[in-house]
Amino acid sequence: MPETSTDALIGRQGEIRRLDTLLQAAREGRGGALVLRGEAGIGKSALLRQLDRAATGFLVMRASGAEFETELPYAALHQLLAPVTERLTALPAPHRNALQIAFGLDTGTPDPFLVGVASLGLLVETVRERPLLCVVDDAQWLDQASAKTLAFLARRVSAESIALVFAARDPGRLPELDELPGHTLRPLREADARALLAGAIRAPLDERVRDRVLAEARGNPLALVELPRTAGLAGMAGGFAQPDSVPAVIEQSFRSRLELLPPAARLLVTLAAADPIGDAGLLWRAAERLGIDAAAAAQSVPLVEFGTRIRFSHPLARSAAYRAAAPEERRRAHEALAAATDPVTDPDRRAWHRAQATAGPDEQVAAELEASATRAQERGGLAAAAAFLERSAALTISPDRRTERVLAAVRAKLSVGDYDTAADLLTTAVTDDPRQAARADLLRGRLSFARRRGEDGPTAYLLRAAERLAAADPAWSRECYLDAIEMGLLLGGLDQVVEAARKAPPADEPASGAAAVLTGMISLVGDGHPVAGDMLRPVLADAGEEVWAKRPSLGFMVATELWNFDALHAIATRAVAAGRESGSFHALPIALAMRATAAVHTGDFGNAMELVSEEEAIADATGAAPLVYPRLHLAALRGRREDAVELFASVDQRMSLSVQWATAVLGNGLADYPAALKAARQAVGHGAVGTAGLALPELVEAAVRCGEPETAAAALASLQERTQAGRHAWGRGVEAYARALVTEDESAYQEAIDLLDDGALVVYRARAHLLYGEWLRRRGRRRDARSALRPAHEALSELGLEAFAERAAGELRATGEQARSRTAKASDQLTMQEVHIARLVADGATSKEVAAKLFLSPRTVDAHLRSIFRKLRLTSRRQLRDLPDIR
């Protein structure tokens, strides 16, 4: 490891050692990331310069956020990767195209996932030659698209010789960076501050004045250097005004030096401050338009380096220069920059400069900004689109058009999580048009759902929008009522929503699609399952219905409520296909979770784990929380007590009903019937669509075993309402074995086994065999019992329902037959991600292909493969392909 000088920066020895450790780990192939945080002037940029000097043998790539560039998607990422873009040809075509679109080199809409994977691939190609250090200064001003991608990279370089270091002002504005390892720079200790001040001021200084300077600077290194420049020795001797903050002191120091410049030089500095990209050619062209002799003026300008790229000595110097200029000077600067910007190659920067140069409403500029917003959205730059639309609305004269642009801006602001600005903009959306008013209410509903606070919940806004549209657009009104019902299912308060939905404008008869589902859901709450089933069953029979394409979660819950497995599976499968096609951050994870849940109930645990792993990979890539309910279903049916209880305890309170259902299933599997009875009662008692119905057979079984026949009979009656309304083999078979438990009618057990004779229903057929065998054994019919218990034990063991399989084994032993021990599966020893990787590799995928699918680096995939080989005692991919139970 190369020697470093920890005293190069006074008082920052600990930080330098931490950065040196990060570099050494990267040299050894253990990459990582660090976010340096702190107020302006605290020493972040100085530490980055020190890091640069210490990175011997590294390729150093740099980028810097700019306050005026936060609206332009992938601007910082492009800046960082610019030195290695010639390696794009080494990437697979989809990845290469994604980066070319993101950087404006091609047209189209970039897939953010592919941009992240492509960026990682580009770094991996680069690091083959030498270690790589990526340095990002002023990270608080990163555009959001770049921030997401860089955070994605930072989480995936642990197996690569790559170090990423960010410097960001505290508090930050990008939650993506908050998820990364961080270190906050504290003010210098008094002894270190005194030493730094002594180096900055060579002249003798009165001790009282020194103490005043130290008190004013508050341990901020840049303030300690700049305070003497601001006040001068005479000013320090006489004292100086109390500053509002340390950054204000530093900025005032920069402004005081700029105030001494001649007018031409000051205007040149204003031009430089107004252009965030530091393009020297653009600056000289703009200066020429303003009649500035740029070469002469640049000679006398402090704080700015005029080279092939224009750089300010410190970010606060740029903001000081911009704010020191009069509003008219700033407008002149932006006007000149707009005129000097190529309208063909860079129309968005030109439009933005024109907007900043405009003092009042201007429809032409507003239209240009709207066009820029469209281009930004196509490139995945929702933050840019939101900024363009917000400014476009401010410059719009026509009230109706302004409202349209405001609503478009609000949509974009909500998409990027800028909820406060979205709320402020919505207060300006005043309109008499019912459609515009309804759209505003729908956006208020989205905002309320995102914030989970406010006087009115999301459903209230959806209902208000529906009421507004009843006369103007009845079909849209009914859609809004149905959306409110779906929201009521998710958040609670369904009864109140349905009561309001009774006022929905009637549809043409016979109702179909969304109108039929709306009527069916109203009947479900008011009239019960038999009437609702007649309305919902025909729509459920067609998984291709548009109503389920728009609302797959609603379809999934309705199919579960009516025990229609074919509809449940088909809706989930279609949702996954649609989610993959759209690449939606929101839609695909939900679809994968639904499809994984369906796979659990077919006993295909390997596929379920693969789907859960993919959903978790997307959640990790986007910084979202993974969806937990498929893991609850998997844990409940697998029946591993310790693993399941640990998972149940970690789940958010909002998922408590799903946890109660899972606890009931686990309890029945383990023959812990009192625990199952308690949990099933709670799950059923809430009456939630989907969850309550699914818990009813668990309640029947637990109540019978606990000697509560009345509870079991009541649960059976509720179950029958649902299964008779659904008329599907899944529900009818489960109802039959629940009925057999209550009535002790042997023919009902046999009916259940016949109805569940479908490969997709094998879990429930095995449970029916188990219940029948238990009933036979308790009646002393040991031979008949063994005939039922053997297939139950074999199926449950093969599927991996370990608790139920052990219960079947115990019953077989009680009949005098020794159950065959379950043969451990390869997947039993692996994590969900390892199962996913193993299945992909067993199907012939390369490490690069697996890495692209799971948003990992190839070396990380190889590290997982080594773990898989060690656990399974394998030595090659060929052996993995030959394992029959891994796929």
Side-chain angles (χ1 to χ4, degrees):
M1 180 174 175
E3 294 182 3
T4 60
S5 175
T6 56
D7 61 356
L9 294 175
I10 294 174
R12 298 300 184 204
Q13 291 83 359
E15 286 82 359
I16 292 174
R17 281 193 292 270
R18 183 162 182 179
L19 290 171
D20 286 345
T21 300
L22 184 70
L23 287 179
Q24 183 58 24
R27 286 189 179 93
E28 296 169 358
R30 294 177 288 109
L34 182 66
V35 181
L36 296 173
R37 296 191 175 280
E39 66 179 8
I42 202 68
K44 304 183 295 296
S45 298
L47 278 169
L48 293 186
R49 290 192 292 271
Q50 171 68 23
L51 175 68
D52 200 350
R53 290 191 292 270
T56 55
F58 279 75
L59 171 63
V60 182
M61 295 163 56
R62 302 176 183 83
S64 180
E67 184 174 0
F68 306 117
E69 208 166 29
T70 56
E71 296 85 9
L72 298 175
Y74 298 111
L77 183 68
H78 191 190
Q79 185 183 351
L80 180 74
L81 298 181
V84 295
T85 50
E86 74 276 0
R87 298 177 186 267
L88 281 172
T89 54
L91 301 180
H95 298 176
R96 181 171 63 252
N97 293 342
L99 278 182
Q100 288 172 333
I101 294 170
F103 296 162
L105 304 175
D106 200 351
T107 57
T109 302
D111 182 330
F113 289 156
L114 285 184
V115 171
V117 175
S119 300
L120 180 61
L122 201 57
L123 296 186
V124 168
E125 290 294 329
T126 302
V127 83
R128 295 182 191 280
E129 299 174 3
R130 51 177 165 161
L132 182 61
L133 171 64
C134 300
V135 177
V136 183
D137 202 356
D138 277 322
Q140 74 278 359
W141 298 127
L142 289 174
D143 63 274
Q144 190 174 55
S146 293
K148 285 182 179 294
T149 303
L150 292 171
F152 171 89
L153 294 176
R155 294 194 296 269
R156 279 161 177 76
V157 296
S158 59
E160 304 291 341
S161 295
I162 301 173
L164 291 92
V165 180
F166 303 81
R169 203 173 298 176
D170 209 17
R173 51 175 285 276
L174 292 170
E176 292 83 1
L177 299 184
D178 294 339
E179 303 162 6
L180 305 180
H183 176 78
T184 299
L185 274 66
R186 303 299 178 190
L188 294 178
R189 294 175 299 177
E190 184 173 351
D192 294 326
R194 284 181 176 273
L196 181 59
L197 183 61
I201 303 176
R202 301 295 184 182
L205 194 61
D206 182 89
E207 191 64 26
R208 288 174 300 175
V209 175
R210 186 186 308 277
D211 290 344
R212 179 69 182 275
V213 172
L214 291 169
E216 296 286 1
R218 302 170 197 164
N220 184 289
L222 189 57
L224 286 164
V225 173
E226 290 296 332
L227 270 168
R229 293 178 177 172
T230 304
L233 290 179
M236 288 195 301
F240 39 81
Q242 178 75 20
D244 293 331
S245 66
V246 169
V249 169
I250 300 169
E251 191 168 311
Q252 180 54 45
S253 170
F254 293 141
R255 291 180 68 163
S256 65
R257 279 185 266 173
L258 295 172
E259 287 169 357
L260 303 175
L261 296 176
R266 286 191 62 176
L267 187 55
L268 181 64
V269 172
T270 303
L271 265 180
D275 169 36
I277 59 176
D279 184 339
L282 177 65
L283 182 72
W284 304 139
R285 292 196 302 274
E288 184 178 358
R289 288 179 175 276
L290 292 174
I292 300 172
D293 184 349
Q299 298 298 318
S300 60
V301 174
L303 306 178
V304 187
E305 175 188 336
F306 294 95
T308 55
R309 186 176 175 89
I310 310 302
R311 298 180 186 274
F312 279 78
S313 62
H314 193 275
L316 286 177
R318 178 191 291 277
S319 60
Y322 192 76
R323 291 180 180 131
E328 181 55 36
E329 285 184 325
R330 290 200 291 266
R331 284 195 290 271
R332 287 182 64 199
H334 283 294
E335 186 176 20
L337 287 166
T341 300
D342 191 322
V344 176
T345 61
D346 210 350
D348 298 336
R349 288 188 197 277
R350 182 176 182 273
W352 188 249
H353 281 305
R354 285 196 69 193
Q356 299 304 107
T358 303
D362 187 318
E363 178 56 33
Q364 183 182 3
V365 176
E368 287 184 17
L369 287 170
E370 190 174 32
S372 293
T374 300
R375 286 189 292 270
Q377 284 179 317
E378 290 173 351
R379 291 178 54 205
L382 288 173
F388 287 137
L389 287 166
E390 182 180 5
R391 182 63 175 154
S392 175
L395 297 178
T396 302
I397 300 172
S398 165
D400 288 343
R401 192 143 183 114
R402 182 169 59 250
T403 299
E404 285 293 314
R405 286 167 175 165
V406 165
L407 295 176
V410 170
R411 278 197 302 274
K413 292 288 184 183
L414 286 173
S415 297
V416 298
D418 189 354
Y419 303 138
D420 291 339
T421 304
D424 289 342
L425 282 170
L426 273 172
T427 64
T428 69
V430 179
T431 177
D432 295 327
D433 184 295
R435 290 179 177 83
Q436 285 187 333
R439 286 168 54 201
D441 279 332
L442 295 175
L443 290 169
R444 290 185 183 98
R446 281 184 58 189
L447 179 62
S448 175
F449 182 77
R451 283 176 154 180
R452 296 194 178 276
R453 66 175 189 267
E455 294 181 3
D456 294 322
T459 51
Y461 289 115
L462 287 168
L463 291 173
R464 192 163 77 184
E467 290 173 11
R468 291 184 192 277
L469 293 165
D473 196 330
W476 190 6
S477 174
R478 288 190 293 271
E479 295 270 350
C480 290
Y481 277 119
L482 188 56
D483 289 337
I485 286 175
E486 182 180 35
M487 192 70 71
L489 286 171
L490 294 171
L491 301 182
L494 178 62
D495 290 349
Q496 295 87 339
V497 176
V498 166
E499 187 60 35
R502 294 184 186 280
K503 297 181 295 185
D508 295 335
E509 294 293 341
S512 61
V517 175
L518 175 61
T519 305
M521 293 305 296
I522 293 172
S523 291
L524 184 67
V525 174
D527 306 318
H529 292 79
V531 176
D534 290 340
M535 300 175 188
L536 294 170
R537 220 172 27 253
V539 191
L540 274 179
D542 183 3
E545 265 282 1
E546 185 181 0
V547 63
W548 307 134
K550 287 183 177 180
R551 303 170 188 84
S553 294
L554 175 62
F556 195 82
M557 287 186 284
V558 171
T560 304
E561 181 71 7
L562 296 184
W563 286 85
N564 185 328
F565 187 81
D566 288 343
L568 179 148
H569 181 271
I571 288 169
T573 301
R574 182 185 178 188
V576 169
R580 292 196 196 286
E581 184 178 352
S582 69
S584 168
F585 289 158
H586 175 69
L588 181 55
I590 293 172
L592 289 167
M594 291 192 300
R595 183 65 186 82
T597 303
V600 169
H601 287 271
T602 66
D604 190 353
F605 291 173
N607 188 34
M609 286 190 279
E610 185 174 342
L611 290 160
V612 168
S613 172
E614 184 177 355
E615 187 274 322
E616 289 179 344
I618 294 172
D620 184 52
T622 58
L627 297 170
V628 73
Y629 65 86
R631 294 175 61 206
L632 291 173
H633 285 249
L634 182 61
L637 284 171
R638 287 184 91 176
R640 298 177 180 179
R641 184 196 294 268
E642 291 185 7
D643 293 347
V645 169
E646 181 180 355
L647 174 63
F648 299 168
S650 69
V651 174
D652 186 274
Q653 181 62 30
R654 286 174 292 180
M655 294 295 296
S656 61
L657 291 178
S658 293
V659 170
Q660 296 302 340
W661 170 83
T663 302
V665 174
L666 179 67
N668 280 332
L670 295 168
D672 185 356
Y673 299 115
L677 178 62
K678 179 182 177 181
R681 269 199 176 113
Q682 290 178 305
V684 169
H686 192 275
V689 172
T691 307
L694 205 59
L696 284 167
E698 309 304 330
L699 180 57
V700 171
E701 184 173 352
V704 167
R705 298 296 187 232
C706 290
E708 296 194 16
E710 292 182 359
T711 300
L716 173 62
S718 294
L719 177 63
Q720 287 171 330
E721 285 188 359
R722 290 161 172 81
T723 58
Q724 289 170 6
R727 300 181 189 175
H728 187 273
W730 181 31
R732 290 167 60 205
V734 169
E735 182 275 332
Y737 71 61
R739 175 164 31 95
L741 279 167
V742 173
T743 65
E744 300 196 62
D745 179 357
E746 182 173 1
S747 65
Y749 284 118
Q750 295 167 339
E751 178 187 352
I753 291 169
D754 291 340
L755 284 167
L756 295 168
D757 189 15
D758 183 316
L761 305 176
V762 61
V763 168
Y764 294 89
R765 180 180 172 86
R767 288 187 67 179
H769 272 294
L770 172 59
L771 292 169
Y772 185 29
E774 289 175 329
W775 183 83
L776 290 167
R777 186 191 66 77
R778 287 185 174 89
R779 271 147 190 78
R781 295 165 58 182
R782 299 171 69 181
R783 179 179 298 178
D784 292 338
R786 284 195 289 269
S787 297
L789 290 169
R790 283 192 206 103
H793 180 257
E794 289 171 4
L796 293 166
S797 297
E798 178 64 25
L799 292 169
L801 279 77
E802 297 176 18
F804 284 104
E806 181 54 38
R807 186 172 131 191
E811 289 290 329
L812 269 176
R813 286 192 293 271
T815 68
E817 180 173 316
Q818 189 65 33
R820 180 172 56 85
S821 298
R822 176 178 181 267
T823 303
K825 288 189 173 184
S827 58
D828 291 347
Q829 306 172 57
L830 306 180
T831 66
M832 287 198 193
Q833 188 176 58
E834 287 173 343
V835 167
H836 195 179
I837 291 171
R839 286 167 66 96
L840 291 172
V841 171
D843 286 336
T846 65
S847 291
K848 272 191 173 183
E849 290 167 341
V850 175
K853 188 173 182 65
L854 296 184
F855 317 115
L856 302 170
S857 76
R859 286 191 186 182
T860 301
V861 172
D862 289 340
H864 282 299
L865 273 175
R866 287 193 292 273
S867 174
I868 293 167
F869 289 164
R870 184 181 68 254
K871 290 179 179 180
L872 302 184
R873 299 183 179 179
L874 305 178
T875 57
S876 72
R877 293 172 181 244
R878 181 180 297 277
Q879 290 176 310
L880 188 60
R881 294 190 191 108
D882 292 338
L883 281 178
D885 59 353
I886 200 65
R887 299 192 188 185

